[in-house]
Amino acid sequence: MMDFSWFEAPLEVKEKLHRAVLNWEKGKEAEEYIEQALEIAGDNLDVLTSAYRFFFYRHNYSRAMDVALRVMELVKRERNMPEDKEELLTYLRENMEDYRVRLYISAYTAYAFMLLKLGFVQDARDILSFLQELDHKSEFGVPVLLDLTRLEHEDIL
């Protein structure tokens, strides 16, 4: 089994994630391992982040979006982020070097991309316009995604 020494999670969870990787080609089986890992791990942000990325790359956007939203909610609660959009923007801008804040922004960007892929162009554009204020160096790919919102939906797929 892979070591995952950088990854904070119980051994059983690491085993489930490893089995998901080994069974990538068996779609449903791999997803079942991820779901089991999620069930065991609870609110473990490393596992949740891995899961939404896994579902994203499997093109299971609805499940990826659910898990990305969970990541965002956990970070928001953990960091006591403000609800007001302007205050949130200020908070994010002032804490850009915080790993958890970056995790929040990455999950939010991924969420917007998945909305775009599913045809919710205006919703994606609204989120990306908000995030653009934070991504001047294009670290999160927001400017590129925002450009995609200007294309016809069929061109995005």
Side-chain angles (χ1 to χ4, degrees):
M1 185 187 96
M2 297 174 134
D3 181 24
F4 294 113
S5 61
W6 53 270
F7 200 85
E8 293 293 325
L11 182 59
E12 183 181 9
V13 170
K14 292 179 181 184
E15 289 172 355
K16 299 290 184 191
L17 295 174
H18 183 67
R19 287 187 179 152
V21 170
L22 294 175
N23 289 285
W24 175 264
E25 297 298 324
K26 297 178 185 171
K28 278 289 185 205
E29 187 174 337
E31 287 188 15
E32 287 174 19
Y33 285 121
I34 295 293
E35 293 292 354
Q36 291 168 10
L38 284 169
E39 190 173 313
I40 297 165
D43 287 342
N44 181 306
L45 281 170
D46 286 334
V47 176
L48 288 165
T49 301
S50 297
Y52 92 71
R53 291 175 178 168
F54 174 88
F55 288 121
F56 174 85
Y57 289 116
R58 295 278 326 148
H59 304 283
N60 184 344
Y61 297 128
S62 64
R63 188 65 179 120
M65 289 170 66
D66 290 342
V67 180
L69 285 172
R70 193 162 156 205
V71 167
M72 291 167 52
E73 194 55 43
L74 285 170
V75 172
K76 194 171 189 178
R77 189 172 352 124
E78 177 185 283
R79 292 295 191 259
N80 199 26
M81 293 179 181
E83 291 296 323
D84 178 77
K85 277 205 165 211
E86 287 305 312
E87 290 176 22
L88 177 60
L89 187 60
T90 299
Y91 177 90
L92 295 172
R93 192 178 291 121
E94 290 174 355
N95 293 282
M96 285 291 287
E97 299 308 314
D98 181 325
Y99 171 75
R100 298 284 207 220
V101 168
R102 296 180 73 76
L103 190 62
Y104 177 91
I105 295 167
S106 292
Y108 208 5
T109 304
Y111 180 79
F113 178 75
M114 291 181 275
L115 283 172
L116 189 59
K117 290 288 283 182
L118 293 172
F120 299 99
V121 177
Q122 188 57 53
D123 293 335
R125 186 178 294 131
D126 292 345
I127 293 168
L128 294 166
S129 294
F130 172 78
L131 292 173
Q132 184 179 22
E133 298 296 318
L134 304 168
D135 198 19
H136 300 291
K137 297 178 186 175
S138 197
E139 294 177 77
F140 301 96
V142 172
V144 172
L145 293 176
L146 200 50
D147 284 344
L148 286 177
T149 66
R150 294 178 180 96
L151 300 173
E152 291 296 319
H153 181 254
E154 293 75 33
D155 295 336
I156 298 166
L157 302 175

